[in-house]
Every structure is written in C-alpha cells, then in structure tokens.
Amino acid sequence: MLLSPPPRADGVDPRLLGEAADWLMRLQSGKNTAEHRRAIEQWRTQSAAHAAAWQRAETVLTTFGQVPTRIGRETLNGLRSPGRRRVVHALGLCALGAPVAWLAWQHQSGGSWGADLRTAKGEQRTLALADGTLLVLNTDSAVDVLFSVDTRRLRLLRGEILVTTARDPAAQARPFVVETAEGSIRPIGTRFSVRQFEGETHAAVFEGAVEIHTARGREHLLHAGEQSRFQTHQIGAATPVESSAALWEHGMLAARDMPLAALIAELARYRPGVLRCHPDVAHLRVSGAFPLRDTDASLELLRLTRPLALRRMTVYWVSVEPR
C-alpha cells in the first residue's frame, strides 16, 4: 500500500514536489514538445526550491533507468493516471535514497539483486571461473554460478554474457550449461554469447557450437558464425553473426547499416535515465564504431555526422531528434 508523502521531504517543498510530479508525468507520456521542454526549464529556474524539486525528479529518472526493463516500464506506466499521488510518493522516497522502492522492484525482478555476479548499468566485468572458463558480463547483467560435482552451470538472470569455455579440470568432465528463462545452452568447446530479452533468449556462436534446448523440449545445434533467438516453445531460424558482434567486450558497438532507433536502444543500455529516438529519424541507417563506455561521445559523433540534434531536458533525459 502506498503511503502519503511526509509534509516535507528532506527540505523540499511538498507543493513543488507535486508540480515536479506533473512535469514528470508529462515527460513520461511521450507527448512532450519543445514548448513543454521550455516550460519545464522556465519552471525549474524560478528559484532554488524549484531546482531542488526538479533534482529530486531527476533522481527518480535515474532510479527507473537502473530498474530491469520490464519492471521499469511497468512501474513508470503505473505512475500515470491516477498516478500523480504515486509520483509524489516516489519523489518523497528519493529523500531516503529510494532504497525501499528499489528493493521492492528488485524483489519483483526475480531476486537478481542477490545474484552471485552482477554489473550495474554501464559496467562490464571479466573474470575467470573456477574451471578456467572466461566469463564477461555486459552492462546491467546478473548471473548465478552453480558448479557442483556433476555440472558446471550458469544461470543468466538478466542481461548478457560472453563465455569462453575451458576444459574441465575435474577427474570426470562435467557438462557446461547456461540456463535462461526460456531453456538452456550447452556448448561444445566454444566461445559464445547469451542475452536475455523479455520472453526470449538470443544466442550467438563465435567458435565451436552450442546445443539449444528449450523449456518445452525443442532442440537445435548452432554452429560457429550463427545466431538464433528462442522461446520456451520454439527456436528461430539461424542467421549469420559477425565476429564484431562481440566487440562490446572491448567497450565498442559496431553498427553496420543499423536503424538509428536500434542503435539508440543499444546505447541506452549503457547509461542511466532515458535516451529516446524521435520517430522522424528512427529509420535512418547508421554504420560505424561507437564507444559504449562514453555514450555521450557516441551521441556527439551522431550529431556531427548525421542530420541530428540532441535535445537535453536533463543529463538523464536526452532525445535524438531531426536537426
């Protein structure tokens, strides 16, 4: 049950928090215009108290940007009608660093907050497992490591991993398995990536081969240079995958004739807050190499080389639009 916010939240005027909530809902509606953005800027700069209230709103945007995609979207959608009171409540929670709401959303995400291995948004991590397997976690990922006397098992809870398997040093070789919500992947001396989407898993093989087993018994052998998506009940057709698809391991994204909307969606995975692509330029095709560890540099590169403009409401709310 949502409680009413305290009379004053860490010194911020509750009345201004309410006004900030109204602006936040207007932004979330997706119908904000240049006129709306100017109006928000005028409101924000009226006084130090207004600036403090909007800073609280920015904190909410950052928190939602770090929540797993499905949970974050559902939460933001839930803040709409009749949601002004809910938004005010969320702004009030940020006076406490938003730990209560954050832990609640993490709990709903399947407990990935307690995973054995995790990365934050924009963070990548490389480590060697006990058997010598090299594991790379991409941005905003979570994995459980479940090694036993019988099996070497990874459970991908969220995000994306790149795996380079090693020969099992145990006296009796144990099978290596990566589990996802839709099934499992069993490598055959290989280097491969696995990414968890909503309702499906993407697997790409760079060396060797992998066996895909869906939760409902479908099977398929994926060879080096191939990629596929699968759900619990079916496996998509294999398509070619380029070796550059794993360049994220080195902090780069290689785009080849990629729709701008898809590129922006990928960059958004590596930064907090909201990064949007205007529908009028979503279809533009882009090729090039873009740094993932400095997404602002990637956005600036797009601005300089394409007929694009960057509209920044705040550092946490950026829209890529026609120039």
Side-chain angles (χ1 to χ4, degrees), residues 115 255 303-304:
R303 187 187 69 81
L304 293 173

Side-chain angles (χ1 to χ4, degrees), residues 247-265:
L247 276 179
W248 60 260
E249 176 188 10
H250 304 291
M252 297 296 295
L253 171 63
R256 177 176 293 185
D257 200 32
M258 180 183 289
L260 180 63
L263 176 62
I264 295 304

Side-chain angles (χ1 to χ4, degrees), residues 60-73 76 102 106 118-125 137-142 158-160 195 264-276 292-295 316:
V60 169
L61 293 179
T62 306
T63 300
F64 288 159
Q66 294 170 343
V67 174
T69 304
R70 177 179 60 81
I71 302 300
R73 186 179 65 242
L76 282 169
W102 170 238
Q106 287 283 33
R118 299 175 59 213
T119 53
K121 207 163 192 182
E123 178 189 10
Q124 294 175 331
R125 184 178 178 188
L137 279 74
N138 202 358
T139 175
D140 192 25
S141 299
R158 184 179 75 244
E160 182 177 22
R195 181 172 170 182
I264 295 304
E266 284 299 299
L267 293 178
R269 296 172 61 204
Y270 295 84
R271 57 185 291 133
V274 177
L275 176 60
R276 286 183 167 173
L292 296 173
R293 293 167 186 163
D294 187 352
T295 54
Y316 299 117

Side-chain angles (χ1 to χ4, degrees), residues 23-42:
W23 289 118
L24 193 60
M25 288 192 294
R26 180 172 295 181
L27 283 173
Q28 173 57 20
S29 71
K31 299 177 181 179
N32 54 301
T33 64
E35 182 180 353
H36 290 152
R37 291 193 293 271
R38 286 193 295 270
I40 293 176
E41 183 64 15
Q42 292 174 357

Side-chain angles (χ1 to χ4, degrees), residues 199-217:
E200 66 179 10
T201 298
H202 174 267
V205 184
F206 304 103
E207 297 176 13
V210 302
E211 296 175 349
I212 297 175
H213 299 261
T214 73
R216 295 189 182 178

Side-chain angles (χ1 to χ4, degrees), residues 57-199:
E58 285 187 331
T59 304
V60 169
L61 293 179
T62 306
T63 300
F64 288 159
Q66 294 170 343
V67 174
T69 304
R70 177 179 60 81
I71 302 300
R73 186 179 65 242
E74 290 176 356
T75 301
L76 282 169
N77 287 342
L79 293 181
R80 295 183 188 178
S81 181
R84 186 179 188 272
R85 181 184 175 192
R86 285 187 170 185
V87 180
V88 174
H89 176 71
L91 295 177
L93 281 176
C94 284
L96 305 175
V100 176
W102 170 238
L103 288 175
W105 292 321
Q106 287 283 33
H107 176 72
Q108 293 178 45
S109 69
S112 60
W113 62 272
D116 295 333
L117 304 171
R118 299 175 59 213
T119 53
K121 207 163 192 182
E123 178 189 10
Q124 294 175 331
R125 184 178 178 188
T126 302
L127 67 158
L129 302 180
D131 67 337
T133 292
L134 189 66
L135 176 65
V136 186
L137 279 74
N138 202 358
T139 175
D140 192 25
S141 299
V143 179
D144 277 340
V145 181
L146 306 167
F147 281 22
S148 69
V149 296
D150 301 316
T151 312
R152 297 174 292 164
R153 188 182 305 274
L154 299 180
R155 183 172 296 150
L156 180 60
L157 304 173
R158 184 179 75 244
E160 182 177 22
I161 56 175
L162 179 66
V163 182
T164 305
T165 56
R167 184 182 296 274
D168 190 2
Q172 183 161 347
R174 300 163 294 174
F176 194 101
V177 180
V178 176
E179 292 181 344
T180 72
E182 287 70 44
S184 64
I185 297 169
R186 300 181 184 182
I188 304 172
T190 190
R191 181 171 182 263
F192 65 103
S193 66
V194 185
R195 181 172 170 182
Q196 181 70 70
F197 287 89
E198 294 182 30

